[in-house]
Amino acid sequence: MPSELLTERQGAVLILTISDPETRNTLSEAVITAGIEALSTAESDDEVRCVILRGAGQHFCAGGNLQGLMARRQAGPPAQARMLERLNQWVEALRACPKPVLAAVEGAAAGAGFSLTLACDMIVAADDAKFILSYAKLGLSPDGGASWQLLRALPRQAVQQMVWLAEPVSARQLQGWSIVNAVTEPGNALAEALRLADRLSAMAPNALASGKELLNAAADQPLNAQLGAERDHFIVNLFHANGGEGIQAFVGKRAPRFE
């Protein structure tokens, strides 16, 4: 059976679990489609404040299913193009979702699994987690936006080494490069991600959404355009009910109660 995406609510947090432990949670079209739909649902649900993406069992995601790749190779380029377009839509949905999206990584995040973690807003990883752009070992090249994401975070030479040599990178090394936000004991990635999600869920969702939108745009537009975008977002958030609540709570030395 192909992998599936399991959904679970814990308070204001929606947990999405890629599930096919026997293949280290390789991706299927069903998982990708469900992931896109889940993010769309989360966006329109005011009770969902944060999303966590994880893998079932001991690993996050090993990327593409080799049997599926072989089948699409037999079917021809259009079949693989359709699959990659769906993956691209999921990556774009992760980036565009106005709710914070956290990756909780245990074990291996390989190939498109690594790409998915990079599309998340923050990454929590177990100390023994391994991240690898495994494509070159199969005579393939990266997908899912990994090259775009990594080149904006690291020197070209470091990214080229990861792309060409396909060597595992540890969670600690990625934390040193400020790509992984927190490293935990093995088995504790989800628990730590939930703690972080609870902190984010208590914050003003409109302000979080603005911060994400501004950062998404910042790398691709000149300073004057970014200054204008920051001005517009600031004014909207100042006159939002949460802006008033935040200011009153600060002046009154109490915890804010954001909507």
Side-chain angles (χ1 to χ4, degrees):
M1 292 181 62
S3 55
E4 57 181 342
L5 190 74
L6 307 179
T7 62
E8 176 189 357
R9 282 284 297 276
Q10 289 199 25
V13 182
L14 175 64
I15 303 173
L16 307 179
T17 303
I18 304 169
S19 181
D20 188 7
E22 290 186 2
T23 67
R24 296 189 175 186
N25 305 319
T26 54
L27 295 174
S28 65
E29 187 171 356
V31 161
I32 295 170
T33 298
I36 296 168
E37 293 173 352
L39 290 173
S40 177
T41 300
E43 182 174 346
S44 61
D45 188 344
D46 291 339
E47 293 185 359
V48 174
R49 294 292 188 98
C50 196
V51 179
I52 293 176
L53 181 62
R54 65 185 292 265
Q58 298 180 345
H59 296 281
F60 180 78
C61 173
N65 183 289
L66 294 184
Q67 297 299 321
L69 286 173
M70 291 171 64
R72 289 189 292 277
R73 194 169 186 273
Q74 290 292 322
Q80 184 58 43
R82 286 192 297 270
M83 181 68 169
L84 288 177
E85 281 302 314
R86 292 299 282 165
L87 174 62
N88 293 346
Q89 290 169 14
W90 195 13
V91 168
E92 290 176 342
L94 289 166
R95 285 292 302 265
C97 180
K99 313 289 176 76
V101 182
L102 313 180
V105 182
E106 300 279 353
F114 191 1
S115 299
L116 288 174
T117 69
L118 293 168
C120 295
D121 300 311
M122 301 181 77
I123 303 172
V124 177
D127 187 58
D128 59 353
K130 299 295 182 184
F131 299 78
I132 179 171
L133 296 180
S134 49
Y135 306 93
K137 291 184 176 180
L138 303 175
L140 302 174
S141 52
D143 61 9
S147 58
W148 190 92
Q149 299 271 17
L150 288 171
L151 200 58
R152 280 159 173 74
L154 300 174
R156 177 185 176 88
Q157 290 79 3
V159 180
Q160 196 72 77
Q161 178 175 336
M162 295 169 69
V163 170
W164 278 351
L165 300 184
E167 297 170 336
V169 181
S170 71
R172 292 288 181 188
Q173 187 170 356
L174 290 182
Q175 185 183 39
W177 287 337
S178 299
I179 293 175
V180 164
N181 299 91
V183 177
T184 72
E185 292 293 322
N188 289 342
L190 177 59
E192 182 60 29
L194 281 167
R195 282 192 286 271
L196 179 56
D198 286 342
R199 290 178 59 190
L200 291 167
S201 295
M203 302 179 76
N206 56 295
L208 294 178
S210 283
K212 182 168 181 174
E213 184 176 336
L214 287 167
L215 288 181
N216 280 341
D220 300 314
Q221 63 182 2
L223 176 60
N224 64 333
Q226 188 70 7
L227 288 170
E230 288 183 346
R231 175 201 60 217
D232 295 343
H233 278 272
F234 189 95
I235 291 171
V236 168
N237 289 315
L238 174 63
F239 288 92
H240 191 283
N242 284 333
E245 167 62 12
I247 293 171
Q248 292 175 12
F250 185 84
V251 172
K253 297 182 180 180
R254 62 172 174 82
R257 296 181 293 274
F258 293 122
E259 299 177 355

